[in-house]
Amino acid sequence: MISCLNTLATAAAILAVVPQGSCQQGTRTVNVNLPTATPSGISQKVDPSFPGFAFEEASFYAYSFDVQGKPNTFSQNLVNSVLKRTGGTPLLRVGGTSGDHGTFNSSQKEPTNFPATKFGPQMRGGVTIGPSFFEAFENWPGAKFEFMVPFRDTNHSHSLEWAKAGLRHIGNDKLYTLEIGNEPNFYSWFSVPEYVKRYINVSNELKKEIPSLDGQKIFQALDTASNFPSNLTAHDAFEQGLDEIAPSIKQVAFHYYQGRGPKTVPELQDWIRHSTTVDKMKDFTPNIQYLQGNHQEIGFAFTETGYNVGGGSGTLDSNLATALWAVDFQLYCMTVNVKHVNWQQILTASLNMWRAVNSTAGPPVVSANFYSQPFVADFIGKGGNTQVAKLDVGDDGNGTLVAYGAYESGKLARVALLNLDLWTANNGTRSPVDFTLKGLPGATKNVTVHQLSAPGGALANDSLTYAGLEWTVESEGIDKHVRDDSKVLDLNGTDVTISVNATSAVMVVL
């Protein structure tokens, strides 16, 4: 949902719009030829619930309650500010390694024995959660949940108790998927045949213990770890037995992290290149293609996603550059028919979209990474009829210039332009790239142009805005207009040139 514009300009009035052929000397120009009809190979319709969030087990409680023990409206407002733009349902995945290694204790008074405000994720011993933990699921009006139950332990009795306790609070109407386990390709007992056998057994036990699950298409399978995606693939799992219970599986999930984060600006540049992302995605797209060819009714999702995992101190994280990477990653995911992307939230980690409460990591804050989400949501738009195509920008040897088109009912509605060349405050002049959009529909009289950027450049972790809006703790996660940098531009003819600064993204709304 793009806010109203308060600036009207002609094509001569910049943001960057300049007459064709009059670019400043030294400014690079790329032509983007806009297909007159729906491009071949365009995506399926994008689910309005595409932009989702994921929460490490103990962190979920901290994101759900404020320090007074009341529902955390800061978290609620940030999630709603994204999904209101698409009209979709917030999809919240709750799980991860700390929960998969954890246990449920029905007599424990505390929500968790390792509160996220004081401790990081317990990756080895896991967390122990008590009944009050599940009250957190009641604090997210309108949301649905991808709810994980432990699977690593060969004794599944606590998994059943965990599931029953959770579903008493979630309810069938708010359960999107029931996830069995987390990153099973790391289990000591793992092999594909063993995983399939145990998965089927546990799903049957769950249906027996919770009869309301029987006959539903509700389970989530795989949740394969990001760094070893070939160890557990959709093809291998279904061909070796999951086929038998395919009618009960709603979603196949993988996890995606760009890797262990960079510590220098040149490393960061390589990290966020579009070409880097496309290359890494080659490990995952065969799973999407397999499902489309054999189980079209089963969706593919990245249910735990982040720019960085385990980068350690000194990692360049949560800045304008990583926010732009998140935009590019999600738009590219749409082109290859990823149905949902859930962004990982760990209260004490640097990969967050926001930190909800005071913790050992610091006070509440809206992170730079969050600014990717409103941009992505506005690109999807409302109505559920959007399809996405990557647009040709010619020979981009650096892998840093990208363009995407959003088509509604076969007509071009929006264009996203990204300049992923890194610029920092000590780099001198911030050089733009001129994108010439060629072949706009003849009936188009003007376009609206919005920016996602920050004056401080690639490493900025504050002062970001999108469409002149910012989100802060002080505003309780509600957008506030602070900068007039969006424009409505009158056009002459069917071409227009839009200048996009280094380390910036622009959305053009027809």
Side-chain angles (χ1 to χ4, degrees):
M1 183 179 72
I2 300 174
S3 61
C4 296
L5 274 295
N6 48 36
T7 305
L8 181 65
T10 66
I14 358 194
L15 185 195
V17 174
V18 296
Q20 192 162 348
S22 64
C23 301
Q24 297 178 356
Q25 186 174 3
T27 299
R28 183 181 177 188
T29 301
V30 297
N31 293 327
V32 183
N33 294 307
L34 303 173
T36 56
T38 302
S40 60
I42 196 169
S43 75
Q44 298 173 353
K45 291 181 179 180
V46 179
D47 191 327
S49 299
F50 176 92
F53 299 93
F55 299 88
E56 181 272 329
E57 198 71 45
S59 292
F60 179 62
Y61 193 87
Y63 277 89
S64 301
F65 287 96
D66 63 20
V67 292
Q68 283 82 36
K70 297 179 180 179
N72 194 308
T73 55
F74 175 48
S75 289
Q76 291 176 0
N77 289 340
L78 287 170
V79 170
N80 291 336
S81 72
V82 176
L83 274 301
K84 73 180 181 181
R85 297 166 182 271
T86 69
T89 298
L91 296 182
L92 309 182
R93 185 254 184 167
V94 181
T97 301
S98 63
D100 199 22
H101 289 221
T103 57
F104 173 69
N105 182 350
S106 61
S107 61
Q108 179 175 291
K109 293 183 179 180
E110 296 80 12
T112 171
N113 60 336
F114 287 101
T117 52
K118 298 180 179 179
F119 301 93
Q122 302 300 301
M123 297 301 192
R124 294 185 182 274
V127 294
T128 301
I129 62 173
S132 62
F133 174 87
F134 296 108
E135 295 172 5
F137 288 90
E138 300 175 7
N139 289 358
W140 300 88
K144 291 190 175 184
F145 298 95
E146 295 153 306
F147 174 47
M148 189 210 75
V149 297
F151 185 44
R152 172 178 171 269
D153 197 332
T154 55
N155 179 0
H156 299 134
S157 59
H158 73 284
S159 302
L160 302 178
E161 292 304 313
W162 185 302
K164 287 189 289 186
L167 289 176
R168 280 195 288 268
H169 290 270
I170 296 171
N172 288 344
D173 59 328
K174 293 194 296 181
L175 179 65
Y176 184 77
T177 55
L178 187 58
E179 173 188 343
I180 299 176
N182 174 78
E183 300 182 348
N185 47 329
F186 284 156
Y187 295 168
S188 61
W189 52 258
F190 173 78
S191 69
V192 174
E194 189 66 18
Y195 166 78
V196 169
K197 181 182 74 174
R198 295 190 187 202
Y199 184 97
I200 293 173
N201 288 343
V202 173
S203 66
N204 287 335
E205 290 179 42
L206 286 164
K207 288 185 285 187
K208 182 179 178 180
E209 291 288 329
I210 309 171
S212 60
L213 298 174
D214 197 18
Q216 288 199 61
K217 194 172 191 64
I218 201 66
F219 289 99
Q220 180 170 300
L222 274 60
D223 279 272
T224 303
S226 173
N227 43 346
F228 296 103
S230 62
N231 288 5
L232 179 58
T233 66
H235 172 276
D236 291 351
F238 279 86
E239 296 299 315
Q240 295 187 48
L242 279 192
D243 232 16
E244 300 173 13
I245 61 166
S248 68
I249 297 175
K250 184 175 187 175
Q251 183 166 275
V252 162
F254 276 67
H255 299 171
Y256 187 101
Y257 291 95
Q258 194 75 342
R260 297 186 182 274
K263 300 184 187 300
T264 67
V265 171
E267 288 175 353
L268 177 63
Q269 178 68 87
D270 288 339
W271 209 259
I272 72 165
R273 289 185 200 278
H274 176 71
S275 53
T276 300
T277 297
V278 171
D279 188 57
K280 286 182 65 67
M281 280 288 289
K282 291 175 183 176
D283 290 332
F284 301 91
T285 50
N287 296 280
I288 303 171
Q289 294 160 359
Y290 173 80
L291 292 172
Q292 290 179 329
N294 297 274
H295 299 283
Q296 292 184 4
E297 73 288 356
I298 298 176
F300 176 97
F302 286 120
T303 55
E304 183 182 314
T305 310
Y307 160 79
N308 163 50
V309 59
S313 62
T315 297
L316 300 176
D317 201 358
S318 195
N319 50 46
L320 174 61
T322 65
L324 293 173
W325 170 81
V327 170
D328 182 43
F329 174 76
Q330 290 176 91
L331 300 192
Y332 184 71
C333 281
M334 293 177 201
T335 69
V336 297
N337 296 314
V338 174
K339 190 169 185 180
H340 305 122
V341 174
N342 300 74
W343 287 92
Q344 181 73 330
Q345 300 287 103
I346 301 173
L347 191 66
T348 56
S350 61
L351 53 72
N352 290 338
M353 295 283 175
W354 73 98
R355 188 185 305 125
V357 292
N358 277 304
S359 74
T360 56
V365 68
V366 179
S367 302
N369 290 336
F370 177 80
Y371 283 78
S372 61
Q373 299 308 93
F375 187 107
V376 167
D378 276 342
F379 186 76
I380 296 170
K382 289 188 173 179
N385 290 315
T386 297
Q387 296 171 275
V388 177
K390 184 180 170 185
L391 303 175
D392 185 10
V393 298
D395 181 17
D396 173 27
N398 292 326
T400 55
L401 305 180
V402 203
Y404 297 93
Y407 291 75
E408 291 183 351
S409 302
K411 296 181 179 179
L412 184 65
R414 291 170 293 280
V415 175
L417 304 172
L418 288 85
N419 182 349
L420 300 177
D421 287 332
L422 290 194
W423 176 84
T424 64
N426 58 1
N427 279 157
T429 303
R430 191 173 191 173
S431 300
V433 170
D434 290 339
F435 288 81
T436 299
L437 305 184
K438 303 177 73 67
L440 288 164
T444 303
K445 302 301 181 183
N446 56 56
V447 295
T448 302
V449 184
H450 299 290
Q451 293 193 75
L452 169 55
S453 194
L459 302 183
N461 52 28
D462 57 20
S463 299
L464 280 76
T465 57
Y466 160 62
L469 302 173
E470 72 171 6
W471 288 259
T472 64
V473 175
E474 291 73 22
S475 70
E476 301 227 337
I478 297 172
D479 56 79
K480 181 180 178 182
H481 190 267
V482 296
R483 189 175 294 157
D484 291 330
D485 60 0
S486 293
K487 309 287 181 183
V488 176
L489 301 160
D490 294 331
L491 302 183
N492 293 315
T494 59
D495 295 357
V496 64
T497 298
I498 299 177
S499 193
V500 183
N501 269 333
T503 328
S504 299
V506 159
M507 185 165 341
V508 184
V509 183
L510 278 60

